[in-house]
Amino acid sequence: MELTGAEIFVKCLADEGVEFIFGYPGGAALHIYDAIYRQDAVKHILVRHEQGATHAADGYARATGRPGCVLVTSGPGATNTITGIATAYMDSIPLVVFTGQVPSMLIGDDAFQEVDAVGISRPCVKHNFLVKDVRELASTVKKAFYIATTGRPGPVLVDIPKDITAHRCAYDYPESVSMRSYAPVTRGHQVQIKKAVELLLSARRPIVYTGGGVILAEASGILTDLVRQLGFPCTNTLMGLGAFPGDDPLFLGMLGMHGTYEANLAMHECDVMLAVGARFDDRVTGDLNKFSPHARIIHVDVDPSSISKNVPVEIPIVGSADLVLAEMAEALRDSGREPDKEALAAWWQRIAEWRGKNSLAYNHSDTVIKPQYVIEKLYELTGGDAYITSDVGQHQMWAAQHYKFRKPRRWINSGGLGTMGFGLPAAMGVKFAFPDDQVVCVTGEASIQMCIQELSTCKQYDLPIKIVNLNNRYMGMVRQWQEFFYDRRYSHSYMDALPDFIKLAESYGHSGVRVDSPADVEGALRDALARKDDLVFLDFITDQTENVYPMIAAGKGQNEIILKPSDEPSEIDERELA
Amino acid sequence: MRRIISILLENEAGALSRVAGLFSARGYNIQSLTVAPTEDDTVSRMTLVTTGSERIIEQITKQLNKLVDVIKLVDLTEGPHIEREMMLIRVRAVAEQREEIKRLADIFRGRIIDVSETAFTVELTGTGNKLEAFLGALPRSSILETVRSGVSGISRGEKGLRI
């Protein structure tokens, strides 16, 4: 029996096991929307802006490990997905984005709502396709999911002209894909793994530094076992939080620009570094010339181009983190040897001294709400077990620092691209995947306004997300940099003319609560979390002058970390280095 | 360091722009780039000449390999290889110049492939240096038009770039 392209498309999604597709209709996608109407295997979630669709699909993918799915129309529908696609690309999130396109015969004619979606998205997708024949539609969809989810995951865009969705052919969804030009390596090189274990056993000041790759490869369990077996200190990147239990004594906290003192100094002074699924980005390394000067580095990554890109490494291992770590653990057991206990004890002694600085400490206040305090209470009340999404800025850093993630896939944030507006739609995607779990969006009054329209989607689908708005009336991180590096000239970082968030939430059909006293923080959080069926918008009026510490200024070395205001060098002029 | 990278890629629309886009997005140099289908018309072969430090070249080859359309590649400059480039050049040729240009073309083993009353068109094949030497040997004012193919390369001996 022959089906239309639109019917084939929807059947492909069902056969691929797609639960939800986040989207927004429009002319070029109408045949597909008609086919969606006539089935119930795939649930379409109507967002309020295409950017919201991509972030929601992204949040779904980060929380579940399954690919997120997006459907939009041509032209502005396609361009509005670009921020979300780039966000997923930077964090290696599997996303498949379907864009409607004007009919084939009009392509290139500057037709109504025509844009070169393949061309515009090319630099921020893992791969993309333009479907030119209905007979290639099913196999292209299969390839898109295959490419998005294998190797180093990433977004794939498929552009489908409207006439293709009307053409007919027989339905045949391939069971598997084999591509001569794409075959990601998963198993690590045996000799390299043996060498790595030798180096680990010889270490006197070791550190394990892991990133988002461990979470993507579902390697948290094996990582945790291996680190405990070795007794080595472990630090996670912003993207890697939750891969190793945040409350484990072997955990040093996050590293990098706003990482802990102990994590950054242990990185700086280590003699052997095991880097897994992390990519040595500038927010982690600071000044490359001063980065971990004594370290002999083992780097495990599924993407060969991540290895020795920024920092030359001694033992590169290309492979999936789960398989490589498992083989490392096995090689370690087979060796029957243990790390140098004495050296390790001395190393931990040194780390304990750094820890003693208590670098995440902040000054409590009885009169004004400290943002860190809100996160601490949120952590206590949810037992470190909630799904926390965030936007970008100070609130993101405080959430990363003070919420001790115990499990992978619980911390959902835009690490690489740093996309404001990510948090709320991402929380929707998570809530669709896990309706019975607590999903909290930690945000700020600037970020939340970038995708605020999704409150309407939350109403339509009854998504009882909790929004924790750390409202300091400033773009806090911008203000912080202006305070440090621009002589307190707060150029355009003050958020004037803010909406009344309580009324705003109410007008979308939700509840809002304003909290302006520290004494009310815990109660307000407790009440909101207990309201299982309501979206509650908690507007915390926080200290306007609070800064994120510790801080390694852009372009500084790990050991030039600033702890508290009193530690600040008197003359900082780093404005060229941002 | 100058490198010649040979790439087999899927003969798909857009494959070329993926390679070109990668170079501009990451700030790598392209000195020349040629591409055409091979004996297997589903596969194109590209020869790309670039410059960069050891580290940059390693990144370039890794990033190219990461492109889904790239099937296989080799850095020809890592082993013995042959490189050739073709140039067509139209030269003003009147009166006694005609004999002189003909002689020069012969010395460089060029062929005169078109003749008009006032000009010759010469076809010349060789390394970039040879083409430049020929251009240098001609009086600057006599050169009317040139077009170069960009470098093509192939490795010597048994080893080759095949699927």
Side-chain angles (χ1 to χ4, degrees):
Chain A
M1 194 185 77
E2 295 205 327
L3 302 178
T4 66
E7 290 162 345
I8 288 171
F9 171 75
V10 178
K11 233 169 136 40
C12 287
L13 297 185
D15 281 356
E16 190 61 41
V18 173
E19 268 184 294
F20 300 104
I21 186 160
F22 300 87
Y24 203 104
L30 284 184
H31 293 328
I32 294 174
Y33 272 88
D34 192 52
I36 285 175
Y37 188 84
R38 290 183 277 114
Q39 56 87 51
D40 51 15
V42 181
K43 290 179 204 68
H44 179 271
I45 308 302
L46 177 66
V47 295
R48 297 299 179 268
H49 186 296
E50 290 89 349
Q51 183 183 346
T54 50
H55 293 328
D58 182 324
Y60 174 88
R62 288 177 203 241
T64 62
R66 297 194 293 272
C69 227
V70 176
L71 172 64
V72 298
T73 191
S74 63
T79 55
N80 277 344
T81 65
I82 296 298
T83 300
I85 292 174
T87 303
Y89 184 65
M90 285 292 268
D91 292 342
S92 307
I93 304 303
L95 215 60
V96 184
V97 178
F98 299 98
T99 50
Q101 181 55 281
V102 301
S104 308
M105 57 281 193
L106 293 183
I107 290 179
D109 289 356
D110 300 324
F112 176 64
Q113 293 197 327
E114 178 183 357
V115 76
D116 176 10
V118 165
I120 285 185
S121 63
R122 188 177 300 117
C124 58
V125 292
K126 185 170 171 187
H127 196 60
N128 56 20
F129 297 94
L130 170 66
V131 181
K132 290 180 177 156
D133 188 324
V134 70
R135 286 166 297 181
E136 287 167 11
L137 179 57
S139 62
T140 305
V141 173
K142 183 74 193 178
K143 274 185 199 163
F145 279 98
Y146 172 66
I147 292 169
T149 53
T150 50
R152 179 178 179 174
V156 176
L157 180 140
V158 183
D159 199 27
I160 311 176
K162 188 171 186 181
D163 54 322
I164 303 292
T165 59
H167 294 167
R168 289 174 176 274
C169 79
Y171 177 72
D172 178 22
Y173 195 61
E175 294 223 325
S176 62
V177 190
S178 133
M179 295 171 72
R180 63 181 170 185
S181 60
Y182 176 74
V185 173
T186 50
R187 276 197 70 189
H189 195 282
Q190 297 303 303
V191 175
Q192 293 294 84
I193 291 174
K194 290 226 163 59
K195 269 200 226 163
V197 169
E198 280 301 314
L199 184 55
L200 289 175
L201 284 168
S202 75
R204 301 183 62 78
R205 299 185 310 278
I207 189 155
V208 180
Y209 144 58
T210 83
V214 171
I215 291 171
L216 293 167
E218 308 289 356
S220 305
I222 181 75
L223 170 76
T224 307
D225 291 349
L226 181 68
V227 170
R228 284 177 180 161
Q229 191 181 342
L230 289 163
F232 286 1
C234 181
T235 176
N236 290 161
T237 67
L238 178 67
M239 290 307 300
L241 293 173
F244 192 80
D247 53 0
D248 191 292
L250 298 178
F251 188 57
L252 305 189
M254 181 172 76
L255 81 166
M257 184 175 270
H258 294 296
T260 65
Y261 191 70
E262 54 269 32
N264 281 311
L265 285 226
M267 282 289 282
H268 189 72
E269 296 206 357
C270 73
D271 68 344
V272 171
M273 179 191 302
L274 171 59
V276 190
R279 59 187 177 85
F280 296 84
D281 90 294
D282 59 285
R283 257 42 180 174
V284 158
T285 61
D287 184 352
L288 285 171
N289 296 317
K290 296 174 186 163
F291 177 73
S292 304
H294 317 291
R296 298 175 68 187
I297 303 175
I298 305 158
H299 189 186
V300 180
D301 206 290
V302 75
D303 176 5
S305 73
S306 281
I307 298 179
S308 294
K309 182 175 68 177
N310 300 333
V311 174
V313 307
E314 182 172 327
I315 305 182
I317 304 177
V318 178
S320 186
D322 53 341
L323 299 179
V324 174
L325 290 179
E327 294 201 43
M328 247 181 213
E330 198 184 316
L332 186 65
R333 272 194 303 275
D334 291 350
S335 76
R337 289 158 54 202
E338 284 185 352
D340 183 336
K341 285 218 168 82
E342 226 166 277
L344 210 49
W347 179 228
W348 274 111
Q349 183 58 41
R350 186 126 175 74
I351 290 171
E353 288 165 24
W354 292 326
R355 260 188 183 154
K357 296 261 188 189
N358 199 10
S359 63
L360 299 182
Y362 60 95
N363 297 324
H364 287 270
S365 164
D366 293 332
T367 50
V368 57
I369 297 175
K370 293 289 184 176
Q372 300 96 323
Y373 176 71
V374 179
I375 306 291
E376 270 180 10
K377 287 292 149 196
L378 178 66
Y379 170 67
E380 286 170 24
L381 292 170
T382 53
D385 218 18
Y387 287 89
I388 306 291
T389 74
S390 92
D391 278 296
V392 171
Q394 287 185 320
H395 67 268
Q396 177 190 27
M397 292 299 117
W398 285 316
Q401 290 176 336
H402 294 276
Y403 199 97
K404 295 174 180 50
F405 294 91
R406 289 194 288 119
K407 296 177 186 168
R409 299 197 177 282
R410 298 297 166 115
W411 169 233
I412 313 278
N413 84 127
S414 167
L417 196 67
T419 308
M420 291 168 72
F422 175 82
L424 173 59
M428 301 187 324
V430 178
K431 195 69 188 172
F432 276 111
F434 300 106
D436 300 327
D437 288 271
Q438 200 69 257
V439 180
V440 182
C441 169
V442 175
T443 183
E445 81 292 337
S447 283
I448 189 71
Q449 291 190 79
M450 286 212 187
C451 271
I452 192 82
Q453 75 286 345
E454 299 306 329
L455 283 175
S456 178
T457 311
C458 293
K459 185 63 193 171
Q460 180 172 346
Y461 296 96
D462 292 322
L463 301 174
I465 294 160
K466 309 300 175 238
I467 296 172
V468 171
N469 189 35
L470 300 178
N471 184 347
N472 61 0
R473 286 82 73 210
Y474 271 110
M475 292 164 215
M477 193 57 92
V478 173
R479 191 204 53 76
Q480 177 168 342
W481 282 51
Q482 288 171 337
E483 178 187 330
F484 289 3
F485 309 129
Y486 296 87
D487 297 330
R488 296 185 157 81
R489 288 185 299 278
Y490 297 127
S491 179
H492 297 268
S493 54
Y494 181 66
M495 290 301 278
D496 210 346
L498 282 172
D500 178 333
F501 286 107
I502 309 311
K503 281 189 186 155
L504 184 67
E506 284 169 359
S507 80
Y508 276 109
H510 304 296
S511 305
V513 179
R514 180 167 297 112
V515 187
D516 43 23
S517 159
D520 298 333
V521 168
E522 185 169 347
L525 279 170
R526 195 186 296 278
D527 289 349
L529 292 167
R531 290 170 66 177
K532 297 282 178 225
D533 299 324
D534 301 324
L535 185 151
V536 185
F537 192 115
L538 291 165
D539 190 23
F540 292 98
I541 308 303
T542 61
D543 187 347
Q544 292 195 281
T545 59
E546 194 65 35
N547 288 323
V548 182
Y549 292 104
M551 179 167 182
I552 301 171
K556 292 283 186 185
Q558 297 152 311
N559 54 339
E560 295 168 282
I561 185 167
I562 301 168
L563 276 181
K564 289 195 190 73
S566 57
D567 297 347
E568 280 175 47
S570 53
E571 280 177 50
I572 304 176
D573 190 5
E574 299 297 335
R575 65 190 65 175
E576 307 310 321
L577 300 168
Chain B
M1 204 174 0
R2 177 176 176 272
R3 296 300 188 110
I4 305 172
I5 299 171
S6 262
I7 307 161
L8 292 179
L9 67 169
E10 296 290 350
N11 187 8
E12 299 268 357
L16 172 62
S17 56
R18 288 182 211 281
V19 174
L22 168 66
F23 275 72
S24 64
R26 294 194 182 263
Y28 305 141
N29 295 313
I30 299 183
Q31 280 191 349
S32 79
L33 184 158
T34 69
V35 61
T38 61
E39 72 281 6
D40 171 353
D41 65 7
T42 66
V43 179
S44 291
R45 178 156 173 158
M46 178 183 283
T47 309
L48 200 150
V49 181
T50 182
T51 55
S53 63
E54 198 75 49
R55 204 172 64 86
I56 299 277
I57 299 294
E58 183 184 329
Q59 264 300 305
I60 288 176
T61 55
K62 283 174 167 178
Q63 294 289 350
L64 283 169
N65 263 315
K66 214 163 106 174
L67 293 177
V68 170
D69 282 337
V70 168
I71 303 167
K72 217 170 178 183
L73 64 83
V74 64
D75 179 350
L76 289 179
T77 20
E78 279 182 345
H81 65 281
I82 302 161
E83 62 171 286
R84 287 290 181 274
E85 186 173 359
M86 206 238 310
M87 174 166 68
L88 300 178
I89 172 164
R90 184 162 30 240
V91 199
R92 183 187 310 283
V94 285
E96 68 276 12
Q97 284 174 341
R98 291 178 85 85
E99 207 36 47
E100 175 63 19
I101 303 271
K102 169 96 177 60
R103 248 198 319 274
L104 261 181
D106 286 343
I107 291 168
F108 281 86
R109 295 191 193 165
R111 295 196 301 144
I112 294 172
I113 55 172
D114 189 43
V115 177
S116 73
E117 274 180 29
T118 56
F120 288 163
T121 301
V122 181
E123 172 196 320
L124 189 65
T125 304
T127 62
N129 286 344
K130 176 179 160 185
L131 304 189
E132 266 139 43
F134 181 62
L135 286 175
L138 291 167
R140 188 76 186 82
S141 60
S142 70
I143 300 171
L144 299 173
E145 191 180 355
T146 63
V147 55
R148 293 169 68 155
S149 65
V151 173
S152 290
I154 198 161
S155 51
R156 285 184 185 274
E158 302 285 303
K159 274 197 355 195
L161 179 63
R162 300 179 59 79
I163 294 175

